[in-house]
Amino acid sequence: MPFLGQDWRSPGWSWTKTEHGWKRIVFYGHELEDNNREIELTELCSDNKENLFVGDVCELATTKRKKDLYNNNTKSQFVFRDKWIYVQKGSTKERHGYCTLGEALNRLDFSSAIQDLRRFNYVAKLFQLIARSQLTSLSGAAQKNYFNILEKIVRKVLEDHYNPRLVKELLQDLSTTLHNLTIHVGRCVLVGNVNIWLCRLETILKWQQQLNNLQIPKQICDGLSFNDLPLYMQNKILSKLSDAYDIINLGQATPTLHCLSENRVLWKKLCHFHFSDKQFCRNLVLTKSDMVDWKLMYFTLQKHYPMKEQYGDTLHFCKHCSILFWKDCGHPCTANDPDSCLMPISPQHFIDLFKF
């Protein structure tokens, strides 16, 4: 008899009611389409009892063909319906084992997340941190999934021209890590044949060349452009940017934007957004007229302290259920006030959750 109530230990399995009782639902993927000609089961499974065994064998063969076709035609190894994962760091009486970083990478549907502009930078930053230090902790299936999602990230940048600088940094860190592992360390820390990793290095080099040769086409617009806006509105838009390189690149567009991008007040607000007052006192940068050079101050502080991260959407962790999930997807929470238990998770915090 299945447990139908809300269990505080875990959301439990998914069940469906059939003529023969309750049956647990196991999700291997979406509905599969077999292009090959399949044998009609209705022709084999008639009222004749001699054909019952043949029908069962045919059904098993059809299911196996569908699974094989799915694994060959798709690059995602598993497709899960639930977009959350229970984070467990040790065995208990209710649950055995623990959750790994690779399992979370497979379960949290990052392939769909990169299609959302609010989550793209978050996923790219997370993949950059994994490339720097956690690549060897992933299982073989998780590493394969990692590179499949990375290919989709590069393809999106090439098609939509969205934030190529962040993806370039990601590929550079990944290339450096793989070069050190394959050349200096060897195959002992990598899952699979070392030749596979050398091929992946070549693929990363090809992606880097494609991003370096990326040309953003000039948009033809007959209506109002950014330059037609009043100066105070242009300055207001610049003040909303949290990345210094975006401000510098925008300032190279026109002479007017260059003057606005060099505004001391703009760089002062940017410094106060990313750093604290104590950090200012330790690394004070003055000009010849004893005034603070806020632009130089920003890049000086950037070398010594981490900057404040800002994302449109992040993963959330429920402290009551110990479940990691995307907020839009939700999770089966059993708390009386679910919103009070939610905690946004930064990419670095995501990595720390799976360090044992």
Side-chain angles (χ1 to χ4, degrees):
M1 182 64 185
F3 184 78
L4 301 180
Q6 290 184 334
D7 190 355
W8 63 271
R9 295 168 296 185
S10 69
W13 299 102
S14 298
W15 298 81
T16 183
K17 190 174 183 180
T18 63
E19 297 178 355
H20 306 287
W22 289 91
K23 181 180 179 181
R24 182 166 64 87
I25 302 176
V26 181
F27 295 93
Y28 292 100
H30 295 299
E31 196 68 24
L32 305 176
E33 295 182 358
D34 193 352
N35 296 327
N36 299 330
R37 183 178 179 273
E38 298 181 0
I39 302 176
E40 293 292 340
L41 296 180
T42 56
E43 298 178 359
L44 295 175
C45 301
S46 60
D47 294 335
N48 189 357
K49 294 183 179 180
E50 295 179 357
N51 291 333
L52 291 179
F53 179 73
V54 178
D56 293 338
V57 174
C58 182
E59 185 177 2
L60 291 175
T62 303
T63 303
K64 185 177 184 303
R65 270 205 315 276
K66 286 184 177 182
K67 291 181 181 179
D68 294 339
L69 181 69
Y70 174 76
N71 291 332
N72 292 332
N73 292 348
T74 59
K75 293 189 175 183
S76 297
Q77 189 167 1
F78 302 106
V79 180
F80 296 91
R81 186 189 67 172
D82 298 326
K83 308 305 179 185
W84 46 263
I85 186 170
Y86 180 84
V87 180
Q88 182 180 357
K89 294 189 176 183
S91 298
T92 62
K93 293 182 179 180
E94 294 80 12
R95 301 178 70 99
H96 296 282
Y98 57 91
C99 180
T100 63
L101 177 62
E103 186 180 356
L105 195 66
N106 293 333
R107 291 287 299 273
L108 289 175
D109 194 23
F110 288 104
S111 297
S112 300
I114 60 176
Q115 303 302 327
D116 191 342
L117 294 181
R118 300 173 303 165
R119 302 174 181 175
F120 182 86
N121 292 344
Y122 182 88
V123 177
K125 184 63 177 180
L126 175 60
F127 273 49
Q128 185 178 17
L129 294 178
I130 294 177
R132 290 176 179 177
S133 60
Q134 301 297 320
L135 192 62
T136 56
S137 65
L138 300 179
S139 63
Q143 289 176 355
K144 182 179 179 181
N145 190 29
Y146 177 90
F147 281 93
N148 291 338
I149 299 175
L150 182 60
E151 181 180 359
K152 295 180 181 178
I153 292 176
V154 176
R155 189 184 306 123
K156 180 175 178 59
V157 174
L158 294 176
E159 294 175 355
D160 301 341
H161 311 118
Y162 182 75
N163 207 345
R165 179 170 53 83
L166 178 60
V167 181
K168 287 180 181 179
E169 295 176 357
L170 165 60
L171 294 178
Q172 182 60 40
D173 292 340
L174 181 59
S175 177
T176 302
T177 301
L178 287 184
H179 180 78
N180 293 333
L181 293 177
T182 54
I183 304 300
H184 301 293
V185 180
R187 68 179 66 185
C188 58
V189 296
L190 296 174
V191 179
N193 195 310
V194 68
N195 294 325
I196 297 178
W197 291 96
L198 294 177
C199 293
R200 288 173 175 171
L201 268 173
E202 295 178 359
T203 303
I204 294 172
L205 179 60
K206 181 185 70 174
W207 289 341
Q208 289 177 320
Q209 293 175 351
Q210 292 176 349
L211 292 178
N212 292 331
N213 298 329
L214 180 63
Q215 297 292 334
I216 300 178
K218 184 178 180 179
Q219 296 183 355
I220 301 176
C221 182
D222 297 333
L224 293 176
S225 63
F226 186 82
N227 295 327
D228 297 327
L229 297 175
L231 291 180
Y232 78 92
M233 293 186 64
Q234 296 183 23
N235 190 37
K236 190 71 174 179
I237 294 174
L238 283 172
S239 63
K240 297 297 182 181
L241 299 178
S242 60
D243 195 326
Y245 294 98
D246 291 338
I247 297 176
I248 295 175
N249 292 333
L250 186 59
Q252 295 175 356
T254 61
T256 303
L257 289 175
H258 177 72
C259 295
L260 294 177
S261 64
E262 296 294 330
N263 189 0
R264 292 181 63 256
V265 178
L266 176 66
W267 288 97
K268 181 179 180 180
K269 292 180 179 179
L270 193 64
C271 288
H272 282 286
F273 176 79
H274 286 286
F275 309 104
S276 63
D277 295 336
K278 293 182 179 180
Q279 297 169 347
F280 293 153
C281 299
R282 296 176 183 175
N283 301 272
L284 194 61
V285 179
L286 301 176
T287 60
K288 295 181 179 179
S289 58
D290 293 335
M291 297 180 63
V292 179
D293 190 343
W294 290 106
K295 184 177 181 179
L296 185 58
M297 173 77 107
Y298 173 86
F299 290 103
T300 302
L301 295 173
Q302 186 186 24
K303 297 178 182 179
H304 299 88
Y305 306 102
M307 295 187 300
K308 181 179 179 180
E309 298 180 359
Q310 188 179 31
Y311 303 100
D313 190 13
T314 64
L315 285 169
H316 283 70
F317 181 75
C318 180
K319 295 179 286 186
H320 177 78
C321 305
S322 298
I323 288 181
L324 191 64
F325 65 100
W326 293 106
K327 191 173 183 179
D328 292 346
C329 300
H331 76 289
C333 186
T334 59
N336 295 328
D337 187 9
D339 294 336
S340 62
C341 304
L342 300 185
M343 179 177 61
I345 300 296
S346 66
Q348 184 59 53
H349 194 184
F350 180 92
I351 300 294
D352 296 337
L353 280 177
F354 302 98
K355 287 184 178 180
F356 303 106

